[in-house]
Amino acid sequence: MKTILHLPAWYPHDNDPLLGTFVHRHIEAVSVYGRNIVVFVYPVSDRQEKFFIEKRENNGIVEFFGFYRNTYSVKLIGLLLKPIRFLRLQYKLYRTVVNAYGRPDLVHVHVLTRNGFVAWLIKKRFNIPYVITEHWSRYKPEANNYHGWIRKKITQKVVKAAAAVMPVTHDLKRVMQSRKLINKKYTVIGNVVDTALFTPRKKPLAKRYFIHVSTFGDDVKNITGMLRVVKKIKEQRTDFFFYIIGTGEDDEAIKAYAKQIGLSDETVCFKGPMQKHEVAEQMKNAMFLVMFSNYENMPVVICEAMACGIPVISSKVGGIDEVVDEKCGILIQPKDEKGLYDAINIMLDNNNNYNADYIREKALINFSVNLVGKSIISIYESVITGHV
């Protein structure tokens, strides 16, 4: 039995059950292949111990959670100790995995750069190959989140030494390559949707509402821009509700802004964070999904909406236009509030004209668990066979 060691930078855990759910879905998609072990190392500030380790088993996936204390009396000491504690705990967990299950055949890094550096060290020390899946939009200039000569050099070295790199969109592949992240084997493999859970509605609409789902980072998701547009539409018509699902760092500020501009709870309903099955229920019974991001790769919620057969309004950023065509929804330019205003009005009047079967079929072709899982597993087999 082959053993795959997964090193995710983001992964759902007790303190944040929504963190990296798309990473977890990728790992679930390959869980039929061999033994899959996850090692997730994360800083916390609410524990007394320097290190805390917990082991779980989740649908056949072995999970090791390693948390290290991230509180320091002096900031400079913290800058020095944080990477040391991270690497110490990674090494400790690697030895734990090897002692319990033997040496892994392959390491799969999910999101660069720190875990990629760990995989690079493992390759150098133990001659175990690694592959990378990248979701992060930080390489885009508008994200302004890819800085530092040392970080860039390490990232370049890590990407070059990988046996394969799997960005989730062609746009992300292009952006990564423009940052001199060179690898001979780039293969685009998209996100995963549970197409057995996210399904079309079986009954007519009970309530006319459209929906937005995200982590509340307004600099990326531009939720305040959507609220301004909804305010203008509400002044002209009252035949809809806007449901917003999620939470995040700007949660309180966004809710306060909605009240500030006069949007009542009767128009905009903040539903808070939800479990996956609850999101599916809200989504399948919505008229359409709205995303108005300033930059993105390929939001999983768009894939999920398509699996439910509902159309999408989105800004044309990242790899969204690789999947969403004119039969699936309306694409507008980022920050174009007039364009969003027109698109929502059009969709409110015409959403029934979209073919739910066509939209869902595009999701099945691009995002089904079996398809994505087989694509990743074929990479695994190629790398492991070629490394022997």
Side-chain angles (χ1 to χ4, degrees):
M1 177 184 290
K2 301 299 182 183
T3 299
I4 311 300
L5 174 62
H6 297 270
L7 301 180
W10 307 326
Y11 198 74
H13 58 90
D14 291 344
N15 291 347
D16 191 347
L18 299 179
L19 179 68
T21 54
F22 42 85
V23 172
H24 183 248
R25 290 170 198 163
H26 262 169
I27 297 172
E28 285 183 323
V30 299
S31 62
V32 296
Y33 180 80
R35 180 189 292 115
N36 288 267
I37 303 172
V38 175
V39 168
F40 176 62
V41 173
Y42 197 75
V44 294
S45 57
D46 59 349
R47 302 193 69 93
Q48 295 299 316
E49 312 100 307
K50 285 185 179 179
F51 302 105
F52 174 75
I53 295 174
E54 182 179 355
K55 178 186 176 183
R56 300 179 184 176
E57 290 202 23
N58 183 6
N59 293 326
I61 300 170
V62 180
E63 300 173 332
F64 287 93
F65 296 88
F67 300 98
Y68 60 94
R69 194 175 69 204
N70 192 31
T71 53
Y72 311 96
S73 56
V74 180
K75 186 175 181 179
L76 180 60
I77 293 176
L79 291 174
L80 295 173
L81 285 182
K82 184 177 178 179
I84 293 174
R85 287 181 177 176
F86 171 80
L87 290 173
R88 280 184 62 191
L89 190 51
Q90 284 280 15
Y91 181 74
K92 180 179 178 64
L93 283 168
Y94 175 77
R95 297 310 313 175
T96 300
V97 168
V98 171
N99 291 337
Y101 301 99
R103 170 189 162 112
D105 297 280
L106 180 72
V107 177
H108 189 160
V109 176
H110 302 265
V111 185
L112 295 167
T113 295
R114 290 182 306 168
N115 290 281
F117 181 64
V118 172
W120 181 83
L121 291 175
I122 291 172
K123 179 183 178 184
K124 288 293 183 182
R125 177 66 177 85
F126 303 108
N127 193 31
I128 298 172
Y130 65 91
V131 298
I132 299 167
T133 292
E134 186 58 288
H135 301 261
W136 205 351
S137 57
R138 69 171 177 174
Y139 309 102
K140 298 175 179 292
E142 56 267 39
N144 194 29
N145 195 23
Y146 185 55
H147 305 295
W149 181 84
I150 295 177
R151 171 188 284 184
K152 290 179 179 179
K153 287 298 180 184
I154 291 175
T155 306
Q156 289 170 8
K157 183 181 289 291
V158 166
V159 169
K160 185 176 181 180
V165 180
M166 298 172 281
V168 293
T169 65
H170 291 278
D171 178 74
L172 181 55
K173 171 185 172 181
R174 177 188 60 78
V175 173
M176 291 178 69
Q177 290 175 328
S178 73
R179 293 286 196 170
K180 299 181 181 180
L181 299 177
I182 307 303
N183 186 280
K184 293 181 180 180
K185 191 169 184 180
Y186 266 93
T187 304
V188 175
I189 299 178
N191 284 311
V192 176
V193 174
D194 184 347
T195 52
L197 178 64
F198 288 86
T199 58
R201 59 176 170 265
K202 297 180 180 179
K203 298 179 181 179
L205 282 174
K207 193 173 185 179
R208 284 176 57 85
Y209 69 88
F210 56 91
I211 195 169
H212 171 80
V213 186
S214 74
T215 53
F216 286 15
D218 199 46
D219 61 329
V220 178
K221 303 300 181 181
N222 197 10
I223 299 173
T224 52
M226 285 189 290
L227 293 174
R228 285 191 294 271
V229 170
V230 169
K231 169 66 174 175
K232 291 180 180 178
I233 296 174
K234 194 66 177 178
E235 292 170 354
Q236 305 298 322
R237 59 194 298 173
T238 59
D239 59 340
F240 70 91
F241 301 90
F242 183 28
Y243 288 0
I244 301 179
I245 296 173
T247 187
E249 59 182 354
D250 295 328
D251 187 289
E252 293 183 7
I254 289 169
K255 291 176 181 176
Y257 184 76
K259 290 184 178 180
Q260 176 188 328
I261 64 175
L263 281 170
S264 68
D265 294 340
E266 295 178 356
T267 300
V268 177
C269 181
F270 289 94
K271 293 286 191 176
M274 290 185 173
Q275 296 297 319
K276 186 167 66 170
H277 69 278
E278 296 173 312
V279 174
E281 191 64 24
Q282 292 288 341
M283 190 171 282
K284 71 175 63 176
N285 290 300
M287 290 186 288
F288 53 92
L289 173 79
V290 178
M291 301 293 291
F292 195 41
S293 302
N294 293 323
Y295 58 92
E296 284 281 6
N297 284 319
M298 182 65 205
V300 175
V301 292
I302 289 181
C303 313
E304 291 169 342
M306 292 176 64
C308 291
I310 67 172
V312 173
I313 295 174
S314 176
S315 45
K316 187 178 178 180
V317 292
I320 294 172
D321 66 346
E322 296 171 20
V323 176
V324 178
D325 59 27
E326 67 279 359
K327 294 182 180 180
C328 296
I330 302 172
L331 297 181
I332 57 177
Q333 293 303 312
K335 301 182 181 179
D336 180 6
E337 294 186 13
K338 174 62 167 58
L340 181 61
Y341 175 93
D342 293 338
I344 292 176
N345 274 305
I346 291 170
M347 194 70 77
L348 284 170
D349 294 330
N350 298 283
N351 70 90
N352 286 333
N353 293 336
Y354 287 89
N355 187 322
D357 291 336
Y358 173 83
I359 297 172
R360 177 168 170 80
E361 185 62 26
K362 285 209 73 173
L364 294 174
I365 291 171
N366 289 280
F367 311 120
S368 68
V369 173
N370 289 339
L371 184 145
V372 174
K374 287 179 181 178
S375 297
I376 297 175
I377 289 169
S378 69
I379 298 290
Y380 288 176
E381 292 178 340
S382 173
V383 171
I384 293 171
T385 301
H387 188 71
V388 174

